[in-house]
Amino acid sequence: MIPHIWHRKGTLHLTYIEAFILGLIQGLAEFLPISSSGHLAILQHFFEIDGEKVLPFAVLLHVGTLISVFMVYWKDILALFRELGATISDIISGKGLRLDSSPLRRLGAMIIVATIPTGIIGVLFNDLFASMYLSLPWIAIGLFLTGILLFFAERKGKNTQATHQEEGIKVHHALFVGVFQGIAIWPGVSRSGSTLVGGLLSGLDRNVAIKFAFLISIPSILGSVVMEAPDAFQEGLEASLIGPILLGMAVAAVSGFLAIKTMLRVVAGKRLYWFSIYVWTLAAALLLYIVLN
């Protein structure tokens, strides 16, 4: 979900340095389990960035992170699109979905299934989550929750009875992960971290769970972009924003690519507890700042 803090009224002065930093944080924090929404909201607070006209920048930053997913999983995504064409052909010819005819077809269907509870949660609690983007205490609580989820995921990931193949993902796995992805709309709660936890709790292998988490981010991010784009570009795009936007997108794409590659190694190496320590430290520092101010 795109941070609604971008909607605050005022005059925008977005520098290239700010665009670079925000793009870097967006790319890294979108796929490392540290919450991109929480980090961006915190940075925007200290940068004092506001103004409705900056919303195009937020939308296109998400496009940058979407590009990074395609960079890492382009073979899988291409294969899924081909299988989608074959599925449509089967439906038209009267053969039906035939989900068990191909592991790819089942995987594609489960990605769609996982998106359903995420969408429902987003629609039902949109106003609540939007208000949280303006609240540093709620962001701090979300970061603490992320640390707890990651700590629990590290312990749960040692389960040797997990489903080790993508074709083993069932409807209940997908729905469970989708619910956790919906919870991650809460700023400060990591989407990649919560979906990984959801996958592990539902019985998926660590590597299967993280790959599924990244693949279901595609419709989630794309849905956010589509929903916000009409408002973002309703009044056009200021010429002064074009340069920072392009820089931010490029930085988000590259840093997102590196974050995904890093996350895959971290999950395989069972080192998620380092991220728990990080988000707990950040949350504690944020709460200290709130108390002192």
Side-chain angles (χ1 to χ4, degrees):
M1 185 176 179
I2 295 171
H4 281 71
I5 194 169
W6 291 105
H7 291 276
R8 293 163 59 191
K9 295 184 179 298
T11 301
L12 170 65
H13 296 288
L14 185 65
T15 68
Y16 280 91
I17 294 177
E18 290 171 342
F20 178 89
I21 294 174
L22 291 173
L24 180 66
I25 295 300
Q26 170 64 31
L28 292 176
E30 180 69 38
F31 300 113
L32 296 180
I34 56 178
S35 177
S36 63
S37 60
H39 278 72
L40 287 178
I42 293 170
L43 286 175
Q44 290 162 33
H45 173 81
F46 289 106
F47 282 161
E48 297 182 350
I49 298 175
D50 54 18
E52 293 182 355
K53 292 184 179 180
V54 79
L55 185 57
F57 180 70
V59 171
L60 293 176
L61 275 188
H62 281 72
V63 174
T65 55
L66 190 61
I67 291 172
S68 63
V69 181
F70 278 82
M71 290 168 63
V72 175
Y73 290 108
W74 67 271
K75 291 183 179 179
D76 298 273
I77 295 169
L78 182 60
L80 285 168
F81 273 111
R82 288 174 176 169
E83 192 60 37
L84 176 61
T87 303
I88 294 174
S89 177
D90 282 346
I91 293 174
I92 293 175
S93 63
K95 296 179 181 179
L97 289 175
R98 301 178 65 229
L99 293 182
D100 294 327
S101 64
S102 165
L104 272 175
R105 185 170 301 193
R106 169 165 289 278
L107 176 61
M110 294 305 103
I111 291 174
I112 295 173
V113 170
T115 304
I116 295 173
T118 302
I120 293 174
I121 292 173
V123 171
L124 292 179
F125 300 100
N126 179 65
D127 292 340
L128 174 62
F129 288 129
S131 66
M132 289 180 176
Y133 281 105
L134 300 173
S135 172
L136 291 182
W138 278 115
I139 295 171
I141 293 172
L143 289 169
F144 271 121
L145 179 58
T146 292
I148 293 172
L149 289 173
L150 294 175
F151 182 80
F152 191 71
E154 193 66 87
R155 297 177 63 86
K156 181 64 177 178
K158 298 176 181 179
N159 184 358
T160 57
Q161 302 299 318
T163 298
H164 290 270
Q165 299 297 327
E166 295 148 22
E167 56 266 30
I169 300 176
K170 306 297 183 183
V171 172
H172 69 276
H173 295 134
L175 289 174
F176 200 70
V177 174
V179 169
F180 271 76
Q181 182 171 241
I183 295 172
I185 300 175
W186 179 341
V189 177
S190 166
R191 193 206 61 79
S192 60
S194 60
T195 50
L196 173 61
V197 172
L200 294 174
L201 288 177
S202 67
L204 297 180
D205 171 73
R206 298 173 69 95
N207 294 323
V208 173
I210 192 60
K211 181 176 182 179
F212 189 61
F214 286 141
L215 288 177
I216 66 172
S217 74
I218 296 175
S220 177
I221 296 173
L222 186 59
S224 294
V225 170
V226 170
M227 289 179 63
E228 296 284 357
D231 290 337
F233 300 101
Q234 184 176 13
E235 299 181 1
L237 184 64
E238 285 190 8
S240 62
L241 284 179
I242 295 177
I245 283 176
L246 291 177
L247 176 63
M249 285 182 64
V251 172
V254 173
S255 59
F257 174 84
L258 296 175
I260 293 174
K261 290 292 188 179
T262 300
M263 189 61 175
L264 292 174
R265 291 194 296 270
V266 167
V267 171
K270 301 180 180 179
R271 296 189 295 270
L272 286 174
Y273 59 89
W274 288 111
F275 292 109
S276 292
I277 296 173
Y278 170 77
V279 292
W280 283 336
T281 302
L282 178 59
L286 187 57
L287 288 175
L288 180 62
Y289 167 81
I290 294 169
V291 170
L292 295 179
N293 291 273

